[in-house]
Amino acid sequence: MTDSDSGRYHRLQLLLRLARLGLSGGYLVALVLTGAGALVAAHAAAVTASAPGRVALVAAALGIGQTLLGLPLTWLSSWVLPRRYGLLHQPLLGWLGDRAKGAVLGAAIGLAGVEVVYALLRATALWWLLTAALAVAFAIVMTAIVPVWILPMFFRLTPLADAALRARLLTLAERAGVRAIGVWIADQSRKSRTANAAVVGLGHTRRILLYDTLATGFRPDEIEAVLAHELGHHAHGDIRRGLLVQGALGVVTFWLADHALRAGVGRLGYDNVADPAGMPWLALVLAVLGLLLTPLVNAFSRHIERQADDFALALTRDPNGFIGAMERLATLNLAERHPHPLKEALLFSHPALDRRIARARGAA
């Protein structure tokens, strides 16, 4: 694939992303303006007198509607385009199975989150503060359990068989001051050509994870460079820093949502802030706030990613290994090497690849 192929792929993905955003926003706006949320809530009240039951029925109805509405665009962005550009080769049934597992897991987590929010709305005016705190606590729990419970749902995980490479990577982790219980391989090649590495988990669940595409297709020095970047996040305490930022933004977001929700009680005809009829309005407000905060979150993310790159270069003292790894990743992952600066500022969680390579060349 050439740079022009990459450019076309990412332009098409951006158009689909914008279309999904417009469709999702339009759906919520329509629900609010037409009073459809109140109609769904009335039907839910006719089915059950239980407050959690009504919340569950309204959330399920709205969520299913939004999912079905966005299904064609999801199909195009997650199946059609990746296959057309050679990124995805997973069989259709396997892909559908992964999507179904992800949908069930997301729906369960989402429904639990909605129930907690509405329980707090019914219980206290400080629901926004407690919600932000619980979101951080949930993120900590998820970070710890992902390698144990979540990843095995989507990948076959096996200990790295190459003893020499395993020792080399665990030694690198020790030099970085990061304790890991082992090195595991995920069978990414069964689904896609893309490659990556990660350090996942917390404490006794923390482990090094390599895609098999990385372990078999990259030189050992390149694998070290990719892993050193990931180790940099743990050495710098980026999980802790990220949680602090998430907590601060969560407090602001839910505080503003509280004011918007209370305004909706008078202007949009909801009985009270805990009325499930206001769920589309609350979802719309949170979506708009999330969209407005995205550039700020991405700017913070690019900052810590640059720091992790610098850490990797200092730890390995091998700029050529880092550059080689970035070049291979660019090809395999069909990376957008030099996006427009505005696009990078608004949408990129990592610095553009050419910037990362240029920074490494400067350290050589």
Side-chain angles (χ1 to χ4, degrees):
M1 290 280 178
T2 64
D3 283 352
S4 61
D5 292 321
S6 172
R8 282 194 297 271
Y9 175 77
H10 287 285
R11 281 194 297 273
L12 290 170
Q13 286 288 18
L14 178 59
L15 289 173
L16 289 172
R17 181 175 181 176
L18 293 173
R20 288 198 305 271
L21 181 63
L23 195 63
S24 178
Y27 172 72
L28 292 175
V29 169
L31 290 175
V32 172
L33 295 182
T34 63
L39 183 62
V40 173
H43 282 294
V47 173
T48 177
S50 163
R54 294 197 301 273
V55 168
L57 289 173
V58 173
L62 300 182
I64 290 171
Q66 188 162 31
T67 298
L68 293 176
L69 193 62
L71 201 56
L73 294 176
T74 299
W75 170 261
L76 287 172
S77 65
S78 301
W79 171 262
V80 175
L81 276 184
R83 286 187 72 84
R84 178 180 297 174
Y85 283 85
L87 289 173
L88 182 71
H89 54 250
Q90 185 179 24
L92 179 59
L93 287 180
W95 181 82
L96 289 173
D98 278 351
R99 300 296 299 188
K101 286 184 285 189
V104 170
L105 181 63
I109 293 173
L111 180 58
V114 171
E115 289 285 11
V116 168
V117 167
Y118 273 85
L120 291 173
L121 278 166
R122 293 191 296 270
T124 174
L126 292 177
W127 71 273
W128 52 274
L129 184 60
L130 294 174
T131 297
L134 288 174
V136 171
F138 175 75
I140 295 171
V141 171
M142 286 298 293
T143 301
I145 69 171
V146 156
V148 181
W149 290 351
I150 307 300
L151 287 177
M153 295 173 59
F154 301 93
F155 297 99
R156 287 194 291 267
L157 302 178
T158 55
L160 175 62
D162 186 333
L165 181 59
R166 181 175 66 250
R168 183 170 178 169
L169 297 181
L170 289 174
T171 298
L172 185 72
E174 289 179 8
R175 286 170 46 207
V178 178
R179 180 183 175 276
I181 65 172
V183 184
W184 270 258
I185 297 291
D187 59 339
Q188 174 72 352
S189 61
R190 183 168 50 92
K191 307 177 184 184
S192 169
R193 75 183 197 194
T194 57
N196 209 343
V199 180
V200 294
L202 286 175
H204 295 300
T205 69
R206 185 187 291 128
R207 62 202 66 190
I208 296 167
L209 181 70
L210 306 179
Y211 281 1
D212 58 353
T213 46
L214 181 80
T216 60
F218 285 56
R219 301 192 313 264
D221 62 320
E222 293 171 339
I223 298 172
E224 273 194 327
V226 176
L227 176 60
H229 170 95
E230 300 301 327
L231 291 168
H233 288 304
H234 287 259
H236 292 157
D238 287 344
I239 293 176
R240 180 179 63 254
R241 290 199 289 174
L243 290 170
L244 289 173
V245 171
Q246 176 187 331
L249 293 179
V251 168
V252 174
T253 297
F254 288 113
W255 179 76
L256 291 172
D258 176 66
H259 285 272
L261 195 55
R262 294 184 186 282
V265 171
R267 293 182 176 86
L268 299 174
Y270 308 135
D271 290 340
N272 51 65
V273 293
D275 184 356
M279 199 177 296
W281 173 237
L282 178 59
L284 179 61
V285 169
L286 291 174
V288 170
L289 291 172
L291 186 63
L292 293 175
L293 288 172
T294 294
L296 179 62
V297 172
N298 283 340
F300 172 74
S301 177
R302 289 193 302 274
H303 170 68
I304 64 174
E305 294 297 339
R306 279 191 295 271
Q307 290 184 329
D309 279 354
D310 292 345
F311 180 89
L313 291 166
L315 181 66
T316 63
R317 298 178 183 176
D318 184 10
N320 290 330
F322 183 92
I323 293 167
M326 292 298 106
E327 292 287 358
R328 288 181 190 263
L329 288 173
T331 300
L332 288 177
N333 299 348
L334 200 60
E336 191 171 11
R337 301 181 64 115
H338 37 263
H340 189 281
L342 180 61
K343 182 180 182 181
E344 183 181 359
L346 294 178
L347 302 178
F348 275 43
S349 61
H350 288 61
L353 196 82
D354 278 1
R355 294 183 190 276
R356 299 176 72 180
I357 291 173
R359 193 175 178 91
R361 287 194 175 119

